Amino acid sequence: MLTHPDFTRQYMFGCEPITDWKPGSPLIWRGATNGIVYVKGSITKIETGQLLQYTTFNPNAADHYVDTPSNYVTVTLRLLEEKGARTQTKLSVTQGDFSLVADGERRHRDSERNWRTVLAKIKDVSEATLAGSAQPS
């Protein structure tokens, strides 16, 4: 679900990932309806069902900071199965180090706000999928 365009459009602000999901390959988050590239980067690590790591840069913020590797931040998504009375999957997300990039404090605030929205939508879509009511858009 985290990498399938039919689902990413539902939780990632209407964007779909353009990539082959191989380490070293480009990753573009493009608006599904308008074709605008909102985020670009590359896949750094992937372990199916466990870990996805990629770099990000907002190409639309070129008036604020330049598109150089030192201004990219790394996103890491980890899935962990938690067994108990009911088996659950926990998703953790880290992004940074914002102290190393231009305008890091503002970018950190924006990222934190955006991830709160995205994580809530991932939860909703995941739960609806498990309940059988979510369909790819």
Side-chain angles (χ1 to χ4, degrees):
M1 191 193 95
L2 291 176
T3 60
H4 195 287
D6 290 339
F7 290 109
T8 64
R9 284 190 288 271
Q10 295 178 57
Y11 71 77
M12 191 61 86
F13 305 104
C15 289
E16 56 190 8
I18 309 301
T19 186
D20 64 8
W21 300 110
K22 295 178 182 172
S25 293
L27 171 61
I28 304 295
W29 288 97
R30 180 180 69 191
T33 58
N34 61 16
I36 294 173
V37 173
Y38 289 99
V39 175
K40 69 178 194 169
S42 63
I43 304 295
T44 55
K45 190 172 185 181
I46 189 163
E47 297 171 14
T48 304
Q50 296 179 351
L51 176 97
L52 173 61
Q53 188 174 67
Y54 56 91
T55 60
T56 64
F57 178 81
N58 177 354
N60 303 301
D63 58 332
H64 297 291
Y65 40 89
V66 295
D67 184 353
T68 62
S70 63
N71 279 324
Y72 283 64
V73 293
T74 300
V75 173
T76 303
L77 297 106
R78 292 183 191 278
L79 293 172
L80 179 65
E81 190 174 282
E82 294 182 338
K83 296 184 188 266
R86 188 176 69 146
T87 299
Q88 296 183 343
T89 301
K90 179 180 178 181
L91 169 63
S92 68
V93 178
T94 57
Q95 184 173 359
D97 181 349
F98 288 96
S99 68
L100 302 175
V101 298
D103 205 12
E105 191 173 314
R106 182 184 61 80
R107 290 171 67 187
H108 179 264
R109 280 193 312 270
D110 291 348
S111 175
E112 190 172 50
R113 182 185 67 244
N114 290 338
W115 276 114
R116 272 195 297 268
T117 300
V118 168
L119 289 171
K121 288 184 179 186
I122 288 172
K123 182 179 187 294
D124 291 345
V125 172
S126 296
E127 290 174 351
T129 300
L130 288 173
S133 61
Q135 300 295 318
S137 55

